[in-house]
Amino acid sequence: MTTPSVAPPASGVAGSRFAVVGNPENRRVSLFADAVRAAGLPGPRVVAWSDVLLEGGADFASDEIVRVDSPGENPEVDRLLRGATDPTRVEGSARWYARFTAALRTLRGGIRLDDPDDLAVLFDKRACHGVLDAAGVPVPTSPTSGPGGAPVRGWDDVRALMREHRMPRLFVKPAHGSSASGVLAVEAGGGRIRATTSVELAADGTLYNSLRVRRYDSERDIATIVDALAPDGLHLERWVPKASQHGRAADLRVVVVGGRATHAVVRTSRTPLTNLHLGGSRGDLAVARDAVGGAGSRWSDVLEVCERAAACFPRTLCVGVDLLPAIGWRRAFVGEVNAFGDLLPRLTGLPGSGAEGLDTYAAQVRAALREPAPPGELHPPRPAASGRAPRGPYRTGTSHA
């Protein structure tokens, strides 16, 4: 695979050096390293998550630009974070979250492309939903959102909240989950109830992640799954009926770099779960854009919703926003904001985004190398009537020692 070259940034290339905290064997680290080298710089220093967790942190030089990448897809790191010996098990996300957020604060020094406080919110769906809602970002209705959200101790609480908030169709999500792990799309009506999920319920009641999406029609089985997940924390959201493309449910993953929506992909599925690793497939972005209203102001408004969501996390360079277009493509809601939502190989930037010809990693390298913005001017204001001007340089923040 050829990595797109990074156009020369405004300034600051000479002497710049990167470091990345990640799993060295993971393709996320390799793709980012390729982008750094394509910018004419030495490859980044790679600090393994396993070393961070076993050695109580890591130190970075004051001039190192530090990217924190996903700790996923490594059985040993998963064991250190979740305490589980079987990486296919679903349970343990609360322990994972506590250890991950604690580990972030053991990264000392450097110029960070993320912020530990931002990441702590991004990996708590209840807190993230509350922050977005308070900022006026359109999100699905949720009774568990924010600090005043209702607790969910098990299936009985889910059933009660469904009745109280008139939500016969909703998503039940582990508060600290990712990649649709443990997510159930629940629909009730006519005396029946059904859940669509990738969770495999074993005969002994243990839960496993599966790449096969399945349906449960027994309320007893659904209750068993929810009761097993509840100790880790659960988040409930009203199920927004999605727009469709070619007869399949559709949503968008939009990557925002330095405050600007730079990359987008349509994800389609025959099930409510559109994740590509669960059998979803990439849709046609041009068709989606035309359905929204072409390349004009309505499409710009869609991208601006994603930028507004990213602006809630101003000290984190890049996030991936899951945008849920409602039926007819006339309204859109932010489902989630993902800290590590940039793994979209071979996808290049949107026209007019400033990232044309660049993949998501190259766009981040270029943004990180720009001249830091003055305090209080992380992103310049959007012009009132002259279209979408490029967002200004991203001001990185120092780590929390």
Side-chain angles (χ1 to χ4, degrees), residues 49-106:
W49 266 117
S50 57
D51 291 341
V52 170
L53 295 166
L54 291 171
E55 297 173 10
D59 294 285
F60 300 91
S62 60
D63 62 344
E64 275 188 300
I65 303 172
V66 183
R67 168 187 171 86
V68 172
D69 216 325
S70 171
E73 302 180 34
N74 181 295
E76 174 62 11
V77 171
D78 186 68
R79 183 188 67 80
L80 291 169
L81 290 172
R82 285 199 306 135
T85 55
D86 186 345
T88 66
R89 289 288 297 272
V90 179
E91 305 94 320
S93 60
R95 183 183 297 112
W96 181 98
Y97 176 78
R99 292 179 178 176
F100 173 68
T101 53
L104 290 171
R105 300 185 185 281
T106 67

Side-chain angles (χ1 to χ4, degrees), residues 305-352:
V305 169
C306 300
E307 293 171 354
R308 286 167 53 200
C312 294
F313 308 97
R315 296 184 69 81
T316 294
L317 177 66
C318 176
V319 294
V321 179
D322 289 344
L323 195 71
L324 314 177
I327 291 174
W329 297 88
R330 292 296 179 259
R331 300 179 63 198
F333 302 84
V334 172
E336 295 188 15
V337 182
N338 304 273
F340 305 130
D342 54 3
L343 183 60
L344 297 171
R346 299 178 297 279
L347 184 70
T348 53
L350 294 165

